[in-house]
Amino acid sequence: ISKLLKKCESEWTEEERYLLQAHQDMVQELSRRQTRRCLLKRQQEEVIDDADNLKTKVKQLAEAVQHAKHMVIYTGAGISTAASIPDYRGPNGVWTQLQKGRCVSTTDLSLAEPTLTHMSIWMLHKNKMIQHVVSQNCDGLHVRSGLSRNALSELHGNMFIEVCPSCSPPREFIRLFDVTERTALHRHGTGRFCPHCRGELRDTIVHFGERGTLEQPLNWRGAAEAAQAADLILCLGSSLKVLKKYSCLWCMDRPANKRPKLYIVNLQWTPKDNMATLKIHGKCDDVMGLLMEESRDPIFSLAKPLSQPEQKSHTRKCLAPPVALVGDSEDTPPQDEGTALQGGWFGRGYSKARRKKKSV
């Protein structure tokens, strides 16, 4: 029946038509699945706004940021792709490759450095335009950008942090290397021991099928409090397929007209698109670069230069323009293929978490 449905209707024989008529339930089920596959394929396609449209949208975002009283940013893997860290659900993402039965290559995440987006977020927080950042990423780049840990919730852990759960409260150890070398799904021991109580140290990574309970670096309380106070939420580089399940981050207990305004920056479809005030289809570095230009002190664009004879007419120090954030995601060297493995810390246990597909 599946093969018949792939043929043009005009090519069906009388016998084939009778067969399809006799199995209407199967035909409807196969048609439904085909529609579902086409929808999923469209949702995985990447869309990029043209340059003029992108600038127009970023201006709208910049105006919203300037008027926001309590702004929160939710970040996903898409903000780190410029640092040669693969995303998850993009065309070449980790989950996409694993779903196709392919191995993904190793990536030494400790070699990555904060991107233009990370540094822009740090600058906006420094200028009190952002109150909190909720991150799904485990790469530690927000901390390395200089962002205050009090303003950060790393919901899925940090690869540079291991903790001693035996101490009260749990004692935290920040390392200069990836502590997840020996850890995996439901197996979090790092092989090191607490110098205070000799208890075994554990990583902070939250894998699929697990629930994170650590105060830090997860900081769920900070994330929930920030969401309750937010009047603007900016989602950068996240598919939101995981974040959407955390109802406390979306103020679902409020009427729809009293929830924070939602702005999304992503190349692909997200399940929150229909709730967004504005959806920007662009790379995070491109959008944040334009946003930082729009957010510059307006006095530098309004000021009139002195004429040449007037150059020495004052002795007071001139205002210094902000240092431009430099970064070009296109110049990032390609990721080394390395040795193939089934996932690494970001993929271990993935196959166990997948649901079995229905067979026809």
Short mmCIF file of all heavy atoms in Angstrom, two decimals, residues 204-225:
data_model
loop_
_atom_site.label_atom_id
_atom_site.label_comp_id
_atom_site.label_asym_id
_atom_site.label_seq_id
_atom_site.Cartn_x
_atom_site.Cartn_y
_atom_site.Cartn_z
N THR A 204 28.32 17.97 36.91
CA THR A 204 27.04 18.68 37.08
C THR A 204 26.15 18.54 35.86
O THR A 204 25.10 19.19 35.78
CB THR A 204 27.30 20.18 37.34
OG1 THR A 204 27.99 20.74 36.20
CG2 THR A 204 28.15 20.39 38.58
N ILE A 205 26.54 17.70 34.90
CA ILE A 205 25.81 17.57 33.64
C ILE A 205 24.48 16.85 33.85
O ILE A 205 24.41 15.83 34.53
CB ILE A 205 26.66 16.80 32.59
CG1 ILE A 205 28.00 17.50 32.37
CG2 ILE A 205 25.89 16.69 31.27
CD1 ILE A 205 27.90 18.91 31.87
N VAL A 206 23.42 17.40 33.25
CA VAL A 206 22.09 16.79 33.29
C VAL A 206 21.82 16.18 31.92
O VAL A 206 21.64 16.90 30.93
CB VAL A 206 21.00 17.83 33.64
CG1 VAL A 206 19.62 17.16 33.67
CG2 VAL A 206 21.30 18.50 34.97
N HIS A 207 21.80 14.84 31.86
CA HIS A 207 21.55 14.14 30.60
C HIS A 207 20.06 13.93 30.37
O HIS A 207 19.24 14.11 31.28
CB HIS A 207 22.25 12.77 30.62
CG HIS A 207 23.74 12.85 30.63
ND1 HIS A 207 24.49 12.99 29.49
CD2 HIS A 207 24.64 12.79 31.66
CE1 HIS A 207 25.78 13.01 29.80
NE2 HIS A 207 25.89 12.90 31.11
N PHE A 208 19.71 13.51 29.14
CA PHE A 208 18.33 13.14 28.85
C PHE A 208 17.88 12.06 29.81
O PHE A 208 18.61 11.11 30.10
CB PHE A 208 18.20 12.61 27.41
CG PHE A 208 18.07 13.71 26.39
CD1 PHE A 208 19.09 13.96 25.50
CD2 PHE A 208 16.92 14.49 26.33
CE1 PHE A 208 18.97 14.96 24.56
CE2 PHE A 208 16.80 15.50 25.39
CZ PHE A 208 17.82 15.72 24.51
N GLY A 209 16.67 12.19 30.32
CA GLY A 209 16.14 11.20 31.25
C GLY A 209 16.52 11.46 32.68
O GLY A 209 16.13 10.70 33.57
N GLU A 210 17.27 12.54 32.94
CA GLU A 210 17.69 12.88 34.29
C GLU A 210 17.05 14.20 34.73
O GLU A 210 16.63 15.00 33.90
CB GLU A 210 19.22 13.00 34.37
CG GLU A 210 19.95 11.72 34.07
CD GLU A 210 21.46 11.89 34.15
OE1 GLU A 210 21.94 13.04 34.07
OE2 GLU A 210 22.16 10.88 34.27
N ARG A 211 17.02 14.40 36.03
CA ARG A 211 16.50 15.65 36.59
C ARG A 211 17.58 16.26 37.48
O ARG A 211 18.03 15.63 38.44
CB ARG A 211 15.24 15.39 37.40
CG ARG A 211 14.59 16.66 37.94
CD ARG A 211 13.34 16.32 38.72
NE ARG A 211 12.32 15.76 37.87
CZ ARG A 211 11.44 16.47 37.16
NH1 ARG A 211 11.48 17.81 37.22
NH2 ARG A 211 10.54 15.90 36.41
N GLY A 212 18.01 17.47 37.13
CA GLY A 212 19.06 18.12 37.90
C GLY A 212 18.51 18.77 39.16
O GLY A 212 17.48 19.43 39.13
N THR A 213 19.20 18.60 40.29
CA THR A 213 18.74 19.15 41.56
C THR A 213 19.76 20.05 42.23
O THR A 213 19.52 20.56 43.33
CB THR A 213 18.39 18.00 42.53
OG1 THR A 213 19.54 17.17 42.71
CG2 THR A 213 17.24 17.15 41.98
N LEU A 214 20.91 20.25 41.61
CA LEU A 214 21.97 21.06 42.23
C LEU A 214 21.57 22.54 42.29
O LEU A 214 20.94 23.07 41.38
CB LEU A 214 23.27 20.93 41.44
CG LEU A 214 23.97 19.56 41.48
CD1 LEU A 214 25.10 19.54 40.47
CD2 LEU A 214 24.50 19.28 42.88
N GLU A 215 21.96 23.20 43.39
CA GLU A 215 21.71 24.62 43.52
C GLU A 215 22.54 25.39 42.49
O GLU A 215 22.06 26.27 41.80
CB GLU A 215 22.05 25.09 44.94
CG GLU A 215 21.85 26.58 45.17
CD GLU A 215 20.40 27.02 45.04
OE1 GLU A 215 19.51 26.17 45.27
OE2 GLU A 215 20.17 28.19 44.70
N GLN A 216 23.83 25.05 42.42
CA GLN A 216 24.72 25.64 41.43
C GLN A 216 25.42 24.50 40.68
O GLN A 216 25.71 23.47 41.28
CB GLN A 216 25.78 26.53 42.09
CG GLN A 216 25.28 27.88 42.55
CD GLN A 216 25.03 28.84 41.40
OE1 GLN A 216 25.22 28.49 40.24
NE2 GLN A 216 24.58 30.04 41.71
N PRO A 217 25.64 24.65 39.38
CA PRO A 217 25.41 25.86 38.57
C PRO A 217 24.01 25.95 37.96
O PRO A 217 23.73 26.86 37.22
CB PRO A 217 26.45 25.70 37.47
CG PRO A 217 26.53 24.22 37.25
CD PRO A 217 26.36 23.60 38.62
N LEU A 218 23.14 24.97 38.29
CA LEU A 218 21.81 24.97 37.67
C LEU A 218 21.00 26.20 38.03
O LEU A 218 20.35 26.81 37.18
CB LEU A 218 21.04 23.70 38.06
CG LEU A 218 21.79 22.36 37.91
CD1 LEU A 218 20.85 21.20 38.18
CD2 LEU A 218 22.41 22.23 36.53
N ASN A 219 20.99 26.56 39.32
CA ASN A 219 20.35 27.79 39.78
C ASN A 219 18.91 27.91 39.27
O ASN A 219 18.52 28.92 38.67
CB ASN A 219 21.16 29.01 39.36
CG ASN A 219 20.69 30.29 40.06
OD1 ASN A 219 19.93 30.23 41.02
ND2 ASN A 219 21.14 31.43 39.57
N TRP A 220 18.11 26.88 39.54
CA TRP A 220 16.72 26.90 39.11
C TRP A 220 15.93 28.01 39.79
O TRP A 220 15.03 28.62 39.20
CB TRP A 220 16.06 25.55 39.40
CG TRP A 220 16.22 24.57 38.28
CD1 TRP A 220 17.07 23.52 38.21
CD2 TRP A 220 15.49 24.58 37.04
NE1 TRP A 220 16.93 22.86 37.02
CE2 TRP A 220 15.98 23.50 36.28
CE3 TRP A 220 14.51 25.40 36.52
CZ2 TRP A 220 15.49 23.20 35.01
CZ3 TRP A 220 14.02 25.11 35.25
CH2 TRP A 220 14.50 24.01 34.51
N ARG A 221 16.26 28.27 41.05
CA ARG A 221 15.54 29.33 41.77
C ARG A 221 15.73 30.67 41.08
O ARG A 221 14.77 31.42 40.88
CB ARG A 221 16.02 29.40 43.22
CG ARG A 221 15.35 30.51 44.02
CD ARG A 221 15.91 30.59 45.43
NE ARG A 221 15.62 29.37 46.18
CZ ARG A 221 16.01 29.17 47.44
NH1 ARG A 221 16.72 30.10 48.07
NH2 ARG A 221 15.70 28.05 48.05
N GLY A 222 16.99 30.97 40.71
CA GLY A 222 17.26 32.24 40.03
C GLY A 222 16.54 32.34 38.70
O GLY A 222 16.02 33.40 38.34
N ALA A 223 16.48 31.21 37.96
CA ALA A 223 15.80 31.21 36.66
C ALA A 223 14.31 31.46 36.83
O ALA A 223 13.71 32.25 36.08
CB ALA A 223 16.05 29.88 35.96
N ALA A 224 13.70 30.79 37.80
CA ALA A 224 12.26 30.94 38.02
C ALA A 224 11.90 32.35 38.49
O ALA A 224 10.92 32.95 38.04
CB ALA A 224 11.77 29.90 39.03
N GLU A 225 12.71 32.90 39.40
CA GLU A 225 12.46 34.26 39.89
C GLU A 225 12.63 35.28 38.79
O GLU A 225 11.86 36.25 38.70
CB GLU A 225 13.41 34.56 41.06
CG GLU A 225 13.09 33.77 42.33
CD GLU A 225 14.09 34.03 43.43
OE1 GLU A 225 15.11 34.73 43.17
OE2 GLU A 225 13.87 33.56 44.57
#
